[in-house]
Amino acid sequence: MIKKLLRSVREYKTASLLTPIFVTLEVIMEVLIPFFMSRIIDMGLEQNNLSYTVRLGVILIIAAIASLCFGALSGKYAATASAGFAKNLRHDMFHHVQDFSFSNIDKFSPASLVTRLTTDVTNVQNAYQMIIRVLIRGPLMLVFALIMAMGINMKLSMIFFFAIPFLGIGLFLIAIKAHPYFERVFRTYDSLNNTVQENLSAIRVVKAYVREDFEDKKFYNISDKVYHQFRTAEKIIALNAPLMQFTMYTAILLISWMAAKMIVGSTMTTGQLMSMIVYATQILSSLMMLSMVFVMIIMAESSANRIVEVLDEESDLKNPAHPLNSVADGSIDFDNVSFSYVNDPDKSALKDINIHIHSGETIGIIGGTGSAKTTLVQMIPRLYDTTTGQVRVGGKDVRDYDIESLRDQVSVVLQKNVLFSGTIKENLRWGNPNASDEELVAACQLAQADEFVRSFPDGYDTYIEQGGTNVSGGQKQRLCIARALLKKPKILILDDSTSAVDTKTDALIRKAFREEIPDTTKIIIAQRISSIEDADRVIVLDDGRIDAFDTPQQLLKTNKIYQEVYQSQVKGAKEE
């Protein structure tokens, strides 16, 4: 795990290495300061040696300034290294997520991925800064101060050999006790983020059904759970301070009591006592620093595991060793295809699919809710891989293609249309980054979007708000169709993508497709019979199986499902 995380340090290795170097120099200066102060008291002030006092005073000031400078430099490089490490780690995770298949994303959930990219990375960043600075400073200060204390008085130094194990064992037990709570709280964070994301994305539905109180209560319950878990963990961690204070003051009292006897017996000087008290503070403070680092590491360990889970996740979809980079035509073949989202043959969404589509055909797909219409078309651009069987595009198995090359030739307008914040031009150029303005207009004309785009004051430079909230559902669908057309694909899939447009506009779009892109294979999933009545053939799906595959005219004579849909829509409309 650590090795995988450290790969993200990269160009910040220098800053990461300079931090402990400056920390070491800072500690050396801090440990020398009590020594110089002791000498000033014993050899300068008590002996009335002014020149010696001034000389050591100057050295003391230089050491203090040097300690300050080294501390500032270590802080600067630690901040640079940790912030850079976090930046690279977020980039590596986000870049890796881009290669995930739909099934990989389903495994983690979007809310969990957001938590891992934000909260978890921040925890690891803070821990990394503590490790390269405080975790170096603590042991060095402990060792150097202990050496100096032993050099002054070995008998008094023995107190530390009892205090250090006592404090160390106590801090270790506290850390072990708190760890499970931090693990649980980060899992609860996923649920909290999921609730917020769901609420904000569906805020119009929430307000339409006046469910604000219900959503508030749901959020409060999860937030309260986070609060109680964090409170329990923090209550355990809070024991650090009293344990530290008890150990420190007990050690200082013992040193003062024993040293007072030694001073009376002339076996110890006042300056040495002052130095011993300072070194006692440094030694015990260094243990407190280490306890803080351990707490941070405990919090970060859970986060680090969650980050590495994402980095270790391998996409289900991989390119072959020697991929094909060109698609011959828009022909599509399904040979004995079955598919299960959970890799369980008994829970298949698609069952024994056999379809043969010629290049340039217009194919309609119809079926009830849950009949696996969307699942079927997602096999074509290899958004999922089949569980059994084979899908061929252009006569070749889709698994033989380079994934990007295949998807460049298979344009999908998904059921959930998404526009990104930016101008209409910028959104359209998702389909083709190098498309000219003329090509944008031509695609919009095919999708029947040009007219309403030109009606905006800024035309194609109109800014689209996040999620496309400032355009209607039908306008959003037409812009998404235009975006797909800009790829000039050999296969165009419309997954219920004209459900929000009126029947006249729907007919105009289909007419434009017939006349302008006759060689492109067009697959149209629709709930309206009118959207597929002029298709060459229609697939009727029922519970993941092919119930029929024929021309609309023939299906109207022979297929019960198609007849029922037709009667409910066409005949009902005529009666009205």
Side-chain angles (χ1 to χ4, degrees):
M1 179 181 73
I2 294 174
K3 185 177 180 181
K4 185 172 284 288
L5 290 174
L6 289 179
R7 291 175 188 168
S8 298
V9 176
R10 291 197 289 277
E11 69 269 30
Y12 298 97
K13 285 180 182 177
T14 301
S16 299
L17 292 172
L18 285 174
T19 299
I21 291 173
F22 285 118
V23 165
T24 302
L25 295 173
E26 178 190 12
V27 168
I28 291 171
M29 292 298 106
E30 285 191 24
V31 169
L32 288 175
I33 287 172
F35 173 75
F36 292 137
M37 292 175 64
S38 171
R39 302 293 289 181
I40 289 173
I41 293 171
D42 293 337
M43 307 297 293
L45 297 177
E46 289 190 357
Q47 301 295 328
N48 293 319
N49 190 336
L50 184 60
S51 62
Y52 184 85
T53 301
V54 171
R55 189 165 64 252
L56 247 65
V58 171
I59 295 173
L60 182 65
I61 292 171
I62 293 172
I65 294 173
S67 176
L68 178 64
C69 292
F70 292 141
L73 287 170
S74 68
K76 172 191 171 184
Y77 284 113
T80 301
S82 60
F85 168 60
K87 179 197 73 173
N88 288 344
L89 191 56
R90 285 193 187 94
H91 171 271
D92 293 344
M93 290 178 68
F94 188 78
H95 180 74
H96 191 60
V97 167
Q98 300 309 301
D99 292 330
F100 280 4
S101 67
F102 282 9
S103 59
N104 294 126
I105 294 173
D106 293 342
K107 175 181 176 181
F108 289 101
S109 86
S112 177
L113 289 172
V114 169
T115 305
R116 293 168 199 243
L117 279 160
T118 52
T119 304
D120 288 330
V121 171
T122 300
N123 288 337
V124 172
Q125 173 186 347
N126 292 336
Y128 184 69
Q129 183 173 8
M130 295 278 278
I131 287 169
I132 63 175
R133 192 180 185 196
V134 180
L135 192 59
I136 300 296
R137 177 186 170 85
L140 286 176
M141 179 66 77
L142 176 66
V143 172
F144 289 171
L146 189 57
I147 291 172
M148 295 297 288
M150 290 169 65
I152 293 172
N153 192 296
M154 180 62 75
K155 187 176 180 181
L156 288 180
S157 298
M158 295 303 295
I159 293 172
F160 299 128
F161 287 97
F162 291 99
I164 291 171
F166 174 77
L167 183 57
I169 292 170
L171 295 176
F172 177 76
L173 292 175
I174 289 171
I176 292 299
K177 186 73 174 176
H179 178 63
Y181 291 98
F182 285 116
E183 280 192 328
R184 285 199 288 271
V185 80
F186 291 123
R187 286 196 295 268
T188 310
Y189 261 130
D190 289 345
S191 300
L192 182 69
N193 281 350
N194 188 57
T195 300
V196 173
Q197 184 184 45
E198 187 179 61
N199 177 270
L200 294 178
S201 61
I203 192 66
R204 287 172 174 79
V205 178
V206 174
K207 291 186 177 298
Y209 284 87
V210 198
R211 298 288 282 177
E212 291 91 343
D213 290 342
F214 173 80
E215 289 295 313
D216 282 344
K217 186 178 179 180
K218 185 166 71 171
F219 178 82
Y220 173 80
N221 288 337
I222 298 176
S223 183
D224 189 58
K225 190 175 180 181
V226 172
Y227 159 72
H228 282 293
Q229 288 175 345
F230 251 129
R231 186 183 68 172
T232 303
E234 293 295 342
K235 282 168 67 176
I236 297 170
I237 295 299
L239 295 174
N240 276 358
L243 179 63
M244 171 70 188
Q245 297 295 328
F246 172 79
T247 308
M248 179 184 292
Y249 291 130
T250 300
I252 290 174
L253 284 172
L254 287 172
I255 289 171
S256 300
W257 177 62
M258 294 176 67
K261 291 184 176 181
M262 292 179 180
I263 290 173
V264 171
S266 300
T267 57
M268 191 174 188
T269 65
T270 305
Q272 288 176 330
L273 172 60
M274 185 275 302
S275 297
M276 285 296 295
I277 292 174
V278 173
Y279 287 134
T281 304
Q282 289 179 341
I283 290 168
L284 299 174
S285 294
S286 67
L287 286 174
M288 189 61 184
M289 289 180 199
L290 290 174
S291 75
M292 291 169 56
V293 175
F294 285 134
V295 169
M296 186 64 70
I297 289 174
I298 287 167
M299 291 178 62
E301 183 184 3
S302 301
S303 294
N305 287 328
R306 287 158 53 84
I307 290 169
V308 172
E309 276 181 3
V310 175
L311 294 174
D312 282 343
E313 182 73 10
E314 293 293 333
S315 175
D316 298 1
L317 308 179
K318 294 181 180 180
N319 280 331
H322 303 288
L324 300 172
N325 293 306
S326 62
V327 179
D329 55 47
S331 62
I332 304 167
D333 299 289
F334 281 68
D335 290 336
N336 301 314
V337 169
S338 294
F339 171 74
S340 170
Y341 284 103
V342 292
N343 288 320
D344 184 350
D346 296 327
K347 298 179 181 179
S348 293
L350 294 173
K351 303 156 192 171
D352 302 320
I353 304 296
N354 286 281
I355 304 171
H356 305 287
I357 300 169
H358 304 296
S359 182
E361 273 194 296
T362 298
I363 302 296
I365 301 179
I366 198 166
T369 301
S371 58
K373 301 184 295 295
T374 297
T375 304
L376 178 71
V377 297
Q378 286 179 340
M379 301 289 111
I380 300 170
R382 206 184 168 201
L383 297 177
Y384 290 96
D385 268 342
T386 63
T387 303
T388 60
Q390 184 183 70
V391 178
R392 295 196 305 275
V393 170
K396 302 293 183 182
D397 192 323
V398 292
R399 289 168 290 198
D400 292 337
Y401 286 106
D402 172 74
I403 294 175
E404 288 188 14
S405 299
L406 174 66
R407 291 176 184 170
D408 274 340
Q409 295 301 316
V410 183
S411 263
V412 185
V413 184
L414 295 170
Q415 196 169 15
K416 294 181 179 179
N417 296 289
V418 176
L419 292 175
F420 298 88
S421 53
T423 65
I424 289 177
K425 281 184 179 179
E426 289 169 345
N427 269 277
L428 292 173
R429 286 197 170 106
W430 272 68
N432 180 3
N434 302 314
S436 64
D437 289 351
E438 291 76 16
E439 288 175 313
L440 299 184
V441 172
C444 284
Q445 287 174 341
L446 273 174
Q448 305 301 308
D450 181 62
E451 184 178 348
F452 80 77
V453 171
R454 291 187 185 276
S455 70
F456 295 146
D458 295 323
Y460 282 85
D461 292 314
T462 299
Y463 190 83
I464 299 293
E465 301 293 342
Q466 184 179 9
T469 55
N470 58 332
V471 291
S472 70
Q475 290 171 337
K476 188 190 298 185
Q477 285 186 336
R478 282 175 278 173
L479 287 173
C480 289
I481 292 171
R483 180 174 64 189
L485 290 169
L486 277 168
K487 293 175 73 172
K488 298 179 180 177
K490 288 186 169 65
I491 299 171
L492 175 64
I493 300 171
L494 304 180
D495 186 358
D496 205 16
S497 308
T498 57
S499 57
V501 304
D502 58 85
T503 53
K504 179 183 176 182
T505 304
D506 187 13
L508 290 172
I509 291 172
R510 286 182 282 113
K511 180 183 177 184
F513 286 175
R514 284 195 307 273
E515 295 175 353
E516 301 297 332
I517 52 172
D519 296 329
T520 299
T521 303
K522 297 164 283 292
I523 299 178
I524 303 170
I525 296 177
Q527 300 296 335
R528 293 189 302 218
I529 284 288
S530 60
S531 297
I532 57 172
E533 62 184 357
D534 56 355
D536 295 311
R537 290 186 290 171
V538 174
I539 299 169
V540 180
L541 278 173
D542 183 31
D543 192 27
R545 297 182 183 275
I546 300 290
D547 189 74
F549 184 25
D550 213 329
T551 64
Q553 296 78 15
Q554 193 64 28
L555 289 174
L556 191 56
K557 298 176 184 177
T558 61
N559 186 259
K560 186 178 179 180
I561 295 175
Y562 192 88
Q563 289 169 350
E564 288 176 354
V565 176
Y566 182 88
Q567 292 295 329
S568 66
Q569 293 184 13
V570 177
K571 188 176 179 181
K574 287 180 179 178
E575 288 177 354
E576 288 181 11

